[in-house]
Amino acid sequence: MAQTKPASSTSPAPSAIVSTIQDITGKRFQPDTVFTALSEEDETLLEKEPIANWGLAQESGQNMTYYNLVIGTRSYQLLITKSPKAEFPTATLLRFITPKSKPEPIARGTLKPKEEKPK
């Protein structure tokens, strides 16, 4: 079984994760769980890859959407699910080290509408 630790206020998700998820979805990402620390390579890849390199949204069933990013043999998947009882969708960022490796969850959190800034 996977062992996860809830994110505490002292260990927030790295800004590369938050900004990447917010840029892809256009929503505010509030992480609630950080599963795995990103390596320096992960952070560099996520920060440098333009959002345009992520695949278009793919729907899988009524309540799930995902986006893919492939860089060499490493890939990332942003999985967005919406429970019928939940007010906001949940986003989970997964990492695949090799094409045949099992997905490693990196972070999970809630997607909320971005707050409008008064002019």
Side-chain angles (χ1 to χ4, degrees):
M1 294 291 162
Q3 294 180 1
T4 60
K5 295 179 182 177
S8 69
S9 57
T10 58
S11 64
S15 62
I17 292 175
V18 173
S19 63
T20 297
I21 294 172
Q22 290 182 158
D23 289 347
I24 293 169
T25 63
K27 298 191 183 294
R28 193 165 43 104
F29 177 66
Q30 291 186 301
D32 59 22
T33 307
V34 177
F35 294 94
T36 252
L38 286 180
S39 67
E40 283 186 35
E41 181 184 11
D42 289 322
E43 288 205 49
T44 301
L45 290 172
L46 289 173
E47 287 175 346
K48 288 186 177 181
E49 281 299 314
I51 297 309
N53 286 351
W54 283 79
L56 297 174
Q58 305 282 323
E59 294 207 13
S60 179
Q62 290 181 317
N63 300 318
M64 186 165 58
T65 304
Y66 62 92
Y67 301 82
N68 293 316
L69 172 66
V70 178
I71 308 166
T73 60
R74 181 174 295 229
S75 63
Y76 300 88
Q77 184 174 68
L78 177 59
L79 182 64
I80 299 170
T81 55
K82 174 82 167 77
S83 167
K85 295 181 181 180
E87 183 178 358
F88 300 107
T90 300
T92 305
L93 183 63
L94 304 170
R95 169 180 59 202
F96 299 82
I97 301 292
T98 67
K100 293 183 179 184
S101 66
K102 291 184 178 181
E104 297 176 1
I106 295 174
R108 182 183 67 215
T110 307
L111 291 175
K112 295 186 175 182
K114 284 193 174 181
E115 296 171 2
E116 294 296 320
K117 295 180 181 175
K119 291 182 178 181

CSV table of all heavy atoms in Angstrom, one decimal, residues 20-69:
chain,number,residue,atom,x,y,z
A,20,THR,N,2.3,25.5,-12.5
A,20,THR,CA,2.0,24.6,-13.7
A,20,THR,C,0.5,24.2,-13.7
A,20,THR,O,-0.2,24.4,-14.7
A,20,THR,CB,2.9,23.3,-13.6
A,20,THR,OG1,4.2,23.7,-13.7
A,20,THR,CG2,2.5,22.4,-14.8
A,21,ILE,N,0.0,23.8,-12.6
A,21,ILE,CA,-1.4,23.3,-12.5
A,21,ILE,C,-2.3,24.5,-12.8
A,21,ILE,O,-3.3,24.4,-13.5
A,21,ILE,CB,-1.7,22.6,-11.2
A,21,ILE,CG1,-0.9,21.3,-11.2
A,21,ILE,CG2,-3.2,22.4,-11.1
A,21,ILE,CD1,-1.0,20.6,-9.9
A,22,GLN,N,-2.0,25.7,-12.2
A,22,GLN,CA,-2.9,26.9,-12.4
A,22,GLN,C,-2.8,27.3,-13.9
A,22,GLN,O,-3.9,27.7,-14.4
A,22,GLN,CB,-2.4,28.0,-11.5
A,22,GLN,CG,-2.8,27.7,-10.0
A,22,GLN,CD,-2.4,28.8,-9.0
A,22,GLN,OE1,-3.0,28.8,-8.0
A,22,GLN,NE2,-1.5,29.7,-9.3
A,23,ASP,N,-1.7,27.3,-14.5
A,23,ASP,CA,-1.6,27.7,-15.9
A,23,ASP,C,-2.3,26.8,-16.8
A,23,ASP,O,-3.0,27.2,-17.8
A,23,ASP,CB,-0.1,27.8,-16.3
A,23,ASP,CG,0.7,28.9,-15.7
A,23,ASP,OD1,0.0,29.8,-15.1
A,23,ASP,OD2,1.9,28.9,-15.8
A,24,ILE,N,-2.3,25.5,-16.6
A,24,ILE,CA,-3.0,24.5,-17.4
A,24,ILE,C,-4.5,24.6,-17.3
A,24,ILE,O,-5.2,24.6,-18.3
A,24,ILE,CB,-2.5,23.1,-17.1
A,24,ILE,CG1,-1.1,22.9,-17.4
A,24,ILE,CG2,-3.4,22.0,-17.8
A,24,ILE,CD1,-0.5,21.6,-16.9
A,25,THR,N,-5.0,24.7,-16.0
A,25,THR,CA,-6.4,24.7,-15.8
A,25,THR,C,-7.1,26.1,-15.8
A,25,THR,O,-8.3,26.1,-16.0
A,25,THR,CB,-6.7,24.0,-14.4
A,25,THR,OG1,-6.1,24.9,-13.4
A,25,THR,CG2,-6.1,22.6,-14.3
A,26,GLY,N,-6.3,27.1,-15.6
A,26,GLY,CA,-6.9,28.4,-15.5
A,26,GLY,C,-7.6,28.6,-14.2
A,26,GLY,O,-8.4,29.6,-14.0
A,27,LYS,N,-7.4,27.8,-13.2
A,27,LYS,CA,-8.0,27.9,-11.9
A,27,LYS,C,-7.0,27.9,-10.8
A,27,LYS,O,-5.8,27.7,-11.0
A,27,LYS,CB,-8.9,26.6,-11.7
A,27,LYS,CG,-10.0,26.5,-12.7
A,27,LYS,CD,-11.0,25.4,-12.2
A,27,LYS,CE,-12.1,25.2,-13.3
A,27,LYS,NZ,-13.0,26.3,-13.4
A,28,ARG,N,-7.4,28.3,-9.6
A,28,ARG,CA,-6.5,28.4,-8.5
A,28,ARG,C,-6.3,27.0,-7.9
A,28,ARG,O,-7.3,26.4,-7.5
A,28,ARG,CB,-7.1,29.4,-7.5
A,28,ARG,CG,-6.2,29.8,-6.4
A,28,ARG,CD,-6.7,31.0,-5.6
A,28,ARG,NE,-8.1,31.0,-5.3
A,28,ARG,CZ,-8.6,30.7,-4.1
A,28,ARG,NH1,-7.8,30.5,-3.1
A,28,ARG,NH2,-9.9,30.6,-3.9
A,29,PHE,N,-5.1,26.6,-7.7
A,29,PHE,CA,-4.8,25.3,-7.2
A,29,PHE,C,-4.4,25.4,-5.7
A,29,PHE,O,-3.5,26.1,-5.4
A,29,PHE,CB,-3.7,24.6,-8.0
A,29,PHE,CG,-3.3,23.3,-7.4
A,29,PHE,CD1,-4.1,22.2,-7.4
A,29,PHE,CD2,-2.0,23.1,-6.9
A,29,PHE,CE1,-3.7,20.9,-6.9
A,29,PHE,CE2,-1.6,21.9,-6.4
A,29,PHE,CZ,-2.5,20.8,-6.4
A,30,GLN,N,-5.1,24.7,-4.8
A,30,GLN,CA,-4.8,24.7,-3.4
A,30,GLN,C,-4.4,23.3,-3.0
A,30,GLN,O,-5.3,22.4,-2.9
A,30,GLN,CB,-6.0,25.1,-2.6
A,30,GLN,CG,-6.4,26.6,-2.8
A,30,GLN,CD,-7.5,27.0,-1.8
A,30,GLN,OE1,-8.5,26.5,-1.8
A,30,GLN,NE2,-7.2,28.0,-1.0
A,31,PRO,N,-3.1,23.0,-2.9
A,31,PRO,CA,-2.7,21.7,-2.6
A,31,PRO,C,-3.1,21.2,-1.2
A,31,PRO,O,-3.1,22.1,-0.3
A,31,PRO,CB,-1.1,21.7,-2.7
A,31,PRO,CG,-0.8,23.2,-2.7
A,31,PRO,CD,-2.0,23.9,-3.1
A,32,ASP,N,-3.5,20.0,-1.0
A,32,ASP,CA,-3.9,19.5,0.3
A,32,ASP,C,-3.0,18.3,0.7
A,32,ASP,O,-2.8,18.0,1.8
A,32,ASP,CB,-5.4,19.1,0.4
A,32,ASP,CG,-5.8,18.0,-0.6
A,32,ASP,OD1,-4.9,17.3,-1.1
A,32,ASP,OD2,-7.0,17.9,-0.9
A,33,THR,N,-2.3,17.7,-0.3
A,33,THR,CA,-1.4,16.6,0.0
A,33,THR,C,-0.2,16.7,-1.0
A,33,THR,O,-0.4,16.9,-2.2
A,33,THR,CB,-2.1,15.2,-0.3
A,33,THR,OG1,-3.3,15.2,0.5
A,33,THR,CG2,-1.3,14.1,0.2
A,34,VAL,N,1.0,16.5,-0.4
A,34,VAL,CA,2.2,16.4,-1.2
A,34,VAL,C,2.7,15.0,-0.9
A,34,VAL,O,3.1,14.7,0.2
A,34,VAL,CB,3.2,17.5,-0.8
A,34,VAL,CG1,4.5,17.3,-1.6
A,34,VAL,CG2,2.7,18.9,-1.0
A,35,PHE,N,2.7,14.2,-2.0
A,35,PHE,CA,3.1,12.8,-1.8
A,35,PHE,C,4.6,12.6,-1.9
A,35,PHE,O,5.2,11.9,-1.1
A,35,PHE,CB,2.5,11.9,-2.9
A,35,PHE,CG,1.0,11.9,-2.9
A,35,PHE,CD1,0.2,12.8,-3.6
A,35,PHE,CD2,0.4,10.9,-2.1
A,35,PHE,CE1,-1.2,12.7,-3.5
A,35,PHE,CE2,-1.0,10.8,-2.0
A,35,PHE,CZ,-1.8,11.7,-2.7
A,36,THR,N,5.2,13.3,-2.8
A,36,THR,CA,6.7,13.0,-3.1
A,36,THR,C,7.3,14.4,-3.4
A,36,THR,O,6.7,15.2,-4.0
A,36,THR,CB,6.7,12.1,-4.4
A,36,THR,OG1,7.1,10.8,-4.0
A,36,THR,CG2,7.6,12.6,-5.4
A,37,ALA,N,8.5,14.5,-3.0
A,37,ALA,CA,9.3,15.7,-3.2
A,37,ALA,C,9.8,15.7,-4.7
A,37,ALA,O,10.2,14.6,-5.2
A,37,ALA,CB,10.5,15.8,-2.3
A,38,LEU,N,9.7,16.8,-5.3
A,38,LEU,CA,10.2,16.9,-6.7
A,38,LEU,C,11.7,16.9,-6.7
A,38,LEU,O,12.3,17.6,-5.9
A,38,LEU,CB,9.7,18.1,-7.4
A,38,LEU,CG,8.2,18.2,-7.8
A,38,LEU,CD1,7.9,19.5,-8.5
A,38,LEU,CD2,7.8,17.1,-8.7
A,39,SER,N,12.3,16.2,-7.7
A,39,SER,CA,13.7,16.4,-7.8
A,39,SER,C,14.0,17.7,-8.5
A,39,SER,O,13.1,18.3,-9.0
A,39,SER,CB,14.3,15.2,-8.7
A,39,SER,OG,13.8,15.4,-10.0
A,40,GLU,N,15.3,18.1,-8.5
A,40,GLU,CA,15.6,19.4,-9.2
A,40,GLU,C,15.3,19.2,-10.6
A,40,GLU,O,14.9,20.2,-11.3
A,40,GLU,CB,17.1,19.7,-8.9
A,40,GLU,CG,17.4,20.2,-7.6
A,40,GLU,CD,18.9,20.7,-7.4
A,40,GLU,OE1,19.4,21.1,-8.4
A,40,GLU,OE2,19.4,20.5,-6.3
A,41,GLU,N,15.5,18.0,-11.2
A,41,GLU,CA,15.2,17.8,-12.6
A,41,GLU,C,13.7,18.0,-12.9
A,41,GLU,O,13.3,18.7,-13.9
A,41,GLU,CB,15.6,16.4,-13.0
A,41,GLU,CG,15.3,16.1,-14.5
A,41,GLU,CD,15.7,14.7,-14.9
A,41,GLU,OE1,15.9,13.8,-14.0
A,41,GLU,OE2,15.7,14.4,-16.1
A,42,ASP,N,12.8,17.5,-12.0
A,42,ASP,CA,11.4,17.7,-12.2
A,42,ASP,C,11.0,19.2,-12.1
A,42,ASP,O,10.3,19.7,-13.0
A,42,ASP,CB,10.6,17.0,-11.0
A,42,ASP,CG,10.6,15.5,-11.1
A,42,ASP,OD1,10.5,15.0,-12.2
A,42,ASP,OD2,10.7,14.9,-10.1
A,43,GLU,N,11.5,19.9,-11.1
A,43,GLU,CA,11.2,21.3,-11.0
A,43,GLU,C,11.7,22.1,-12.3
A,43,GLU,O,11.0,22.9,-12.8
A,43,GLU,CB,11.8,21.9,-9.8
A,43,GLU,CG,11.1,21.5,-8.5
A,43,GLU,CD,11.2,22.4,-7.4
A,43,GLU,OE1,11.0,23.6,-7.6
A,43,GLU,OE2,11.5,22.0,-6.3
A,44,THR,N,12.9,21.8,-12.7
A,44,THR,CA,13.4,22.5,-13.9
A,44,THR,C,12.6,22.2,-15.1
A,44,THR,O,12.2,23.1,-15.9
A,44,THR,CB,14.9,22.0,-14.2
A,44,THR,OG1,15.7,22.3,-13.0
A,44,THR,CG2,15.5,22.7,-15.4
A,45,LEU,N,12.2,20.9,-15.3
A,45,LEU,CA,11.4,20.5,-16.5
A,45,LEU,C,10.0,21.2,-16.4
A,45,LEU,O,9.6,21.8,-17.4
A,45,LEU,CB,11.2,19.0,-16.5
A,45,LEU,CG,12.4,18.2,-16.9
A,45,LEU,CD1,12.1,16.7,-16.7
A,45,LEU,CD2,12.9,18.4,-18.3
A,46,LEU,N,9.4,21.2,-15.2
A,46,LEU,CA,8.1,21.8,-15.1
A,46,LEU,C,8.1,23.3,-15.3
A,46,LEU,O,7.2,23.9,-15.9
A,46,LEU,CB,7.4,21.4,-13.8
A,46,LEU,CG,7.0,20.0,-13.7
A,46,LEU,CD1,6.5,19.6,-12.3
A,46,LEU,CD2,5.9,19.6,-14.7
A,47,GLU,N,9.1,24.0,-14.8
A,47,GLU,CA,9.2,25.4,-14.9
A,47,GLU,C,9.5,25.8,-16.3
A,47,GLU,O,9.1,26.9,-16.8
A,47,GLU,CB,10.3,26.0,-14.0
A,47,GLU,CG,9.9,25.9,-12.5
A,47,GLU,CD,10.9,26.4,-11.5
A,47,GLU,OE1,12.1,26.4,-11.9
A,47,GLU,OE2,10.6,26.6,-10.4
A,48,LYS,N,10.4,25.1,-17.1
A,48,LYS,CA,10.8,25.5,-18.4
A,48,LYS,C,9.9,25.1,-19.5
A,48,LYS,O,9.9,25.7,-20.6
A,48,LYS,CB,12.2,24.9,-18.7
A,48,LYS,CG,13.3,25.6,-17.9
A,48,LYS,CD,14.6,25.1,-18.3
A,48,LYS,CE,15.7,25.9,-17.5
A,48,LYS,NZ,17.0,25.5,-17.9
A,49,GLU,N,9.1,24.0,-19.3
A,49,GLU,CA,8.2,23.6,-20.4
A,49,GLU,C,7.0,24.5,-20.5
A,49,GLU,O,6.3,24.7,-19.5
A,49,GLU,CB,7.7,22.1,-20.1
A,49,GLU,CG,8.6,21.1,-20.4
A,49,GLU,CD,9.1,21.0,-21.8
A,49,GLU,OE1,8.2,21.1,-22.7
A,49,GLU,OE2,10.3,20.9,-22.1
A,50,PRO,N,6.8,25.0,-21.7
A,50,PRO,CA,5.6,25.9,-21.8
A,50,PRO,C,4.3,25.1,-21.8
A,50,PRO,O,4.3,23.9,-22.1
A,50,PRO,CB,5.8,26.5,-23.2
A,50,PRO,CG,6.8,25.6,-23.9
A,50,PRO,CD,7.6,24.9,-22.9
A,51,ILE,N,3.3,25.8,-21.3
A,51,ILE,CA,2.0,25.1,-21.2
A,51,ILE,C,1.5,24.6,-22.5
A,51,ILE,O,0.9,23.5,-22.6
A,51,ILE,CB,1.0,26.1,-20.6
A,51,ILE,CG1,1.4,26.5,-19.2
A,51,ILE,CG2,-0.4,25.5,-20.6
A,51,ILE,CD1,1.7,25.4,-18.3
A,52,ALA,N,2.0,25.2,-23.6
A,52,ALA,CA,1.6,24.7,-25.0
A,52,ALA,C,2.1,23.3,-25.2
A,52,ALA,O,1.6,22.6,-26.1
A,52,ALA,CB,2.1,25.7,-26.0
A,53,ASN,N,3.1,22.8,-24.5
A,53,ASN,CA,3.6,21.5,-24.7
A,53,ASN,C,2.8,20.4,-24.0
A,53,ASN,O,3.0,19.2,-24.3
A,53,ASN,CB,5.1,21.4,-24.3
A,53,ASN,CG,6.0,22.1,-25.3
A,53,ASN,OD1,5.6,22.5,-26.4
A,53,ASN,ND2,7.3,22.2,-24.9
A,54,TRP,N,1.9,20.8,-23.1
A,54,TRP,CA,1.0,19.8,-22.5
A,54,TRP,C,0.0,19.5,-23.5
A,54,TRP,O,-0.5,20.3,-24.3
A,54,TRP,CB,0.4,20.4,-21.3
A,54,TRP,CG,1.3,20.5,-20.1
A,54,TRP,CD1,2.2,21.4,-19.9
A,54,TRP,CD2,1.3,19.6,-19.0
A,54,TRP,NE1,2.9,21.1,-18.7
A,54,TRP,CE2,2.3,20.0,-18.1
A,54,TRP,CE3,0.6,18.5,-18.6
A,54,TRP,CZ2,2.6,19.4,-16.9
A,54,TRP,CZ3,0.9,17.8,-17.5
A,54,TRP,CH2,1.9,18.2,-16.6
A,55,GLY,N,-0.4,18.2,-23.5
A,55,GLY,CA,-1.5,17.7,-24.5
A,55,GLY,C,-2.8,18.4,-24.1
A,55,GLY,O,-3.0,18.9,-23.1
A,56,LEU,N,-3.7,18.4,-25.1
A,56,LEU,CA,-5.0,18.9,-24.9
A,56,LEU,C,-5.8,18.1,-23.9
A,56,LEU,O,-5.5,16.9,-23.7
A,56,LEU,CB,-5.8,18.9,-26.3
A,56,LEU,CG,-5.2,19.8,-27.3
A,56,LEU,CD1,-6.0,19.6,-28.6
A,56,LEU,CD2,-5.3,21.3,-26.9
A,57,ALA,N,-6.8,18.6,-23.3
A,57,ALA,CA,-7.6,17.9,-22.3
A,57,ALA,C,-8.2,16.7,-22.9
A,57,ALA,O,-8.8,16.8,-24.0
A,57,ALA,CB,-8.6,18.8,-21.7
A,58,GLN,N,-8.1,15.6,-22.3
A,58,GLN,CA,-8.7,14.3,-22.7
A,58,GLN,C,-9.8,14.0,-21.7
A,58,GLN,O,-9.5,14.0,-20.5
A,58,GLN,CB,-7.7,13.2,-22.8
A,58,GLN,CG,-6.5,13.5,-23.6
A,58,GLN,CD,-6.8,13.3,-25.1
A,58,GLN,OE1,-7.5,12.4,-25.5
A,58,GLN,NE2,-6.2,14.2,-25.9
A,59,GLU,N,-11.0,13.6,-22.1
A,59,GLU,CA,-12.0,13.2,-21.2
A,59,GLU,C,-12.0,11.7,-21.0
A,59,GLU,O,-11.9,11.0,-22.0
A,59,GLU,CB,-13.3,13.8,-21.6
A,59,GLU,CG,-13.3,15.3,-21.5
A,59,GLU,CD,-14.7,15.9,-21.3
A,59,GLU,OE1,-15.6,15.1,-20.9
A,59,GLU,OE2,-14.8,17.1,-21.4
A,60,SER,N,-12.2,11.2,-19.8
A,60,SER,CA,-12.3,9.8,-19.6
A,60,SER,C,-13.5,9.7,-18.6
A,60,SER,O,-13.4,9.9,-17.4
A,60,SER,CB,-11.1,9.3,-18.9
A,60,SER,OG,-11.2,7.9,-18.6
A,61,GLY,N,-14.7,9.4,-19.2
A,61,GLY,CA,-15.9,9.3,-18.4
A,61,GLY,C,-16.4,10.7,-18.2
A,61,GLY,O,-15.9,11.7,-18.7
A,62,GLN,N,-17.5,10.8,-17.4
A,62,GLN,CA,-18.1,12.1,-17.2
A,62,GLN,C,-17.4,13.0,-16.2
A,62,GLN,O,-17.5,14.2,-16.3
A,62,GLN,CB,-19.6,11.9,-16.7
A,62,GLN,CG,-20.5,11.3,-17.7
A,62,GLN,CD,-21.9,11.2,-17.2
A,62,GLN,OE1,-22.1,10.7,-16.0
A,62,GLN,NE2,-22.9,11.6,-17.9
A,63,ASN,N,-16.7,12.4,-15.3
A,63,ASN,CA,-16.1,13.2,-14.2
A,63,ASN,C,-14.6,13.2,-14.1
A,63,ASN,O,-14.0,13.5,-13.1
A,63,ASN,CB,-16.7,12.7,-12.8
A,63,ASN,CG,-18.2,12.8,-12.8
A,63,ASN,OD1,-18.8,13.8,-13.2
A,63,ASN,ND2,-18.9,11.7,-12.3
A,64,MET,N,-13.9,12.9,-15.2
A,64,MET,CA,-12.5,12.8,-15.2
A,64,MET,C,-11.9,13.4,-16.5
A,64,MET,O,-12.4,13.1,-17.6
A,64,MET,CB,-12.0,11.4,-15.0
A,64,MET,CG,-10.5,11.4,-14.9
A,64,MET,SD,-9.8,9.8,-14.2
A,64,MET,CE,-10.4,8.6,-15.4
A,65,THR,N,-10.9,14.3,-16.3
A,65,THR,CA,-10.2,14.9,-17.5
A,65,THR,C,-8.7,14.8,-17.1
A,65,THR,O,-8.3,14.8,-16.0
A,65,THR,CB,-10.6,16.4,-17.6
A,65,THR,OG1,-12.0,16.5,-17.7
A,65,THR,CG2,-9.9,17.0,-18.8
A,66,TYR,N,-7.9,14.6,-18.2
A,66,TYR,CA,-6.5,14.6,-17.9
A,66,TYR,C,-5.7,15.3,-19.0
A,66,TYR,O,-6.2,15.4,-20.2
A,66,TYR,CB,-6.0,13.1,-17.7
A,66,TYR,CG,-6.2,12.2,-18.9
A,66,TYR,CD1,-5.2,12.0,-19.9
A,66,TYR,CD2,-7.3,11.5,-19.1
A,66,TYR,CE1,-5.3,11.2,-21.0
A,66,TYR,CE2,-7.5,10.7,-20.1
A,66,TYR,CZ,-6.5,10.5,-21.1
A,66,TYR,OH,-6.7,9.7,-22.2
A,67,TYR,N,-4.5,15.7,-18.7
A,67,TYR,CA,-3.5,16.4,-19.6
A,67,TYR,C,-2.2,15.6,-19.5
A,67,TYR,O,-1.8,15.2,-18.4
A,67,TYR,CB,-3.3,17.8,-19.2
A,67,TYR,CG,-4.5,18.7,-19.1
A,67,TYR,CD1,-5.4,18.7,-18.0
A,67,TYR,CD2,-4.8,19.6,-20.2
A,67,TYR,CE1,-6.5,19.5,-18.0
A,67,TYR,CE2,-5.9,20.4,-20.1
A,67,TYR,CZ,-6.7,20.4,-19.0
A,67,TYR,OH,-7.8,21.2,-19.0
A,68,ASN,N,-1.5,15.5,-20.6
A,68,ASN,CA,-0.2,14.8,-20.5
A,68,ASN,C,0.9,15.7,-21.0
A,68,ASN,O,0.7,16.5,-21.9
A,68,ASN,CB,-0.3,13.5,-21.5
A,68,ASN,CG,-1.2,12.5,-20.9
A,68,ASN,OD1,-1.2,12.2,-19.7
A,68,ASN,ND2,-2.0,11.9,-21.8
A,69,LEU,N,2.1,15.4,-20.5
A,69,LEU,CA,3.3,16.1,-20.9
A,69,LEU,C,4.4,15.0,-21.0
A,69,LEU,O,4.6,14.3,-20.0
A,69,LEU,CB,3.8,17.2,-19.9
A,69,LEU,CG,5.1,17.8,-20.2
A,69,LEU,CD1,5.1,18.6,-21.5
A,69,LEU,CD2,5.5,18.7,-19.0
